[in-house]
Amino acid sequence: MGQSISKRQRQKNCSLPCPMSPLPYSEMSLRYETFKTLKDTKDFKTCLVYYKSKRTEVSLLSISKDLCKEPFHQLSSKFMVNILDLYYDSKSYHLVLEKVQSRSLMKEIQMSGKASERTAKFYAAEMLIELENLHKMGSTYGKFGPHHAKLDQNGHLKLRHFNLPEDSSKNTYQLPEEFLGCFKTPQSDFWNLGAFIFQIVEQRPVTLPVKLSSMLTDECRSLLNWLLQTNPRKRPKDVQQIKSHSFFKNVDFTKLKSSTQRGPILPHYIS
């Protein structure tokens, strides 16, 4: 199976910040004011709220406690939706999140007509930066789907926070090893990265056996064949190996981390 992140590796690298301590839901109204409900189901509720002191809009995600198996961690992340505050009541956790109102990245790509290797390379590079950060902290992203990736106002990637439980009404990429119950490893994250790139360049979800278009460049085909290996042991061992692949030869990852330039696609906002 894919390699898990060992205890020794966690000790050598930095670790996740301490879990967030939720505040009583009654205190939330002192800081935030709800003004629009976007979605309301049995286990999930999404609203837009005002941060009163700053008069800015943020998102509120309410999740049934039954679905929350892991603690929530507050990260300062450029390419992932950050948790700003955490509250609780008897049935749910209420997470105040950065507001990201674009459609999913896949929808934005379809609307822009920019389904290309160049687009895939840009957003895969940003995703790699986040995976590298998580793996260094001894964690993994886990299940991933097209709806997990959105865009901020400047066209940069905003991944769904890795700590959030999965909404069963949404589809995720199906990992070859998933039927064994082992999908939270670095190698599983690399399969998801391959499926992410595949869907952008092929404009269809990945299926087994993997069939690649002859229109792809040799570099893209090589990377996808490596990431989408059925056997996790045959996938890359770490993020650095992927960053060194010829597909990313013109990507300056250090510059990308601090870039303020616009991404290749600007989002169509949902009103």
Side-chain angles (χ1 to χ4, degrees), residues 58-271:
V58 290
S59 295
L60 177 67
L61 177 64
S62 301
I63 308 172
S64 169
K65 283 185 174 179
D66 294 338
L67 297 181
C68 300
K69 308 301 182 185
E70 300 179 4
F72 296 104
H73 297 273
Q74 191 171 35
L75 304 178
S76 178
S77 175
K78 181 174 182 179
F79 304 124
M80 190 180 295
V81 176
N82 292 300
I83 300 176
L84 306 177
D85 276 318
L86 177 63
Y87 299 89
Y88 73 96
D89 59 26
S90 61
K91 295 182 179 179
S92 303
Y93 285 111
H94 306 275
L95 293 86
V96 180
L97 306 167
E98 287 182 280
K99 178 187 173 185
V100 182
Q101 258 191 291
S102 77
R103 295 169 175 81
S104 72
L105 174 59
M106 298 305 172
K107 287 282 188 185
E108 295 289 353
I109 289 173
Q110 290 171 359
M111 294 175 69
S112 70
K114 294 183 178 179
S116 66
E117 288 189 22
R118 177 179 174 273
T119 299
K121 183 182 302 184
F122 183 88
Y123 291 116
E126 294 191 331
M127 184 173 174
L128 268 177
I129 289 171
E130 286 306 325
L131 292 181
E132 185 172 44
N133 291 339
L134 286 175
H135 293 180
K136 283 181 178 179
M137 291 187 289
S139 190
T140 56
Y141 196 91
K143 289 188 177 183
F144 184 83
H147 59 288
H148 284 182
K150 294 188 175 184
L151 297 177
D152 68 14
Q153 61 183 2
N154 292 316
H156 288 278
L157 194 67
K158 274 297 184 181
L159 293 171
R160 185 176 188 266
H161 195 280
F162 78 104
N163 254 163
L164 299 185
E166 183 56 46
D167 184 345
S168 60
S169 68
K170 304 276 183 100
N171 293 324
T172 55
Y173 297 132
Q174 297 300 303
L175 291 147
E177 61 266 35
E178 194 170 332
F179 71 97
L180 295 175
C182 182
F183 57 85
K184 297 201 75 172
T185 69
Q187 283 63 43
S188 297
D189 282 347
F190 299 154
W191 166 276
N192 284 328
L193 175 67
F196 175 72
I197 296 172
F198 181 98
Q199 188 157 2
I200 294 175
V201 297
E202 296 279 17
Q203 286 295 283
R204 58 186 174 89
V206 65
T207 55
L208 294 175
V210 177
K211 295 181 180 180
L212 300 176
S213 167
S214 60
M215 301 297 289
L216 300 179
T217 62
D218 291 342
E219 291 81 6
C220 187
R221 291 172 62 85
S222 170
L223 178 65
L224 289 176
N225 280 325
W226 194 20
L227 296 174
L228 297 174
Q229 286 284 339
T230 304
N231 184 347
R233 292 184 179 274
K234 293 183 178 181
R235 297 174 201 154
K237 69 176 183 178
D238 56 35
V239 169
Q240 189 55 49
Q241 277 195 338
I242 303 173
K243 289 166 69 174
S244 300
H245 190 275
S246 58
F247 182 72
F248 294 107
K249 63 184 176 183
N250 296 322
V251 176
D252 186 333
F253 285 91
T254 302
K255 185 177 179 180
L256 186 60
K257 287 180 184 180
S258 57
S259 174
T260 57
Q261 295 182 345
R262 290 182 173 183
I265 298 172
L266 293 182
H268 297 77
Y269 286 111
I270 303 172
S271 59

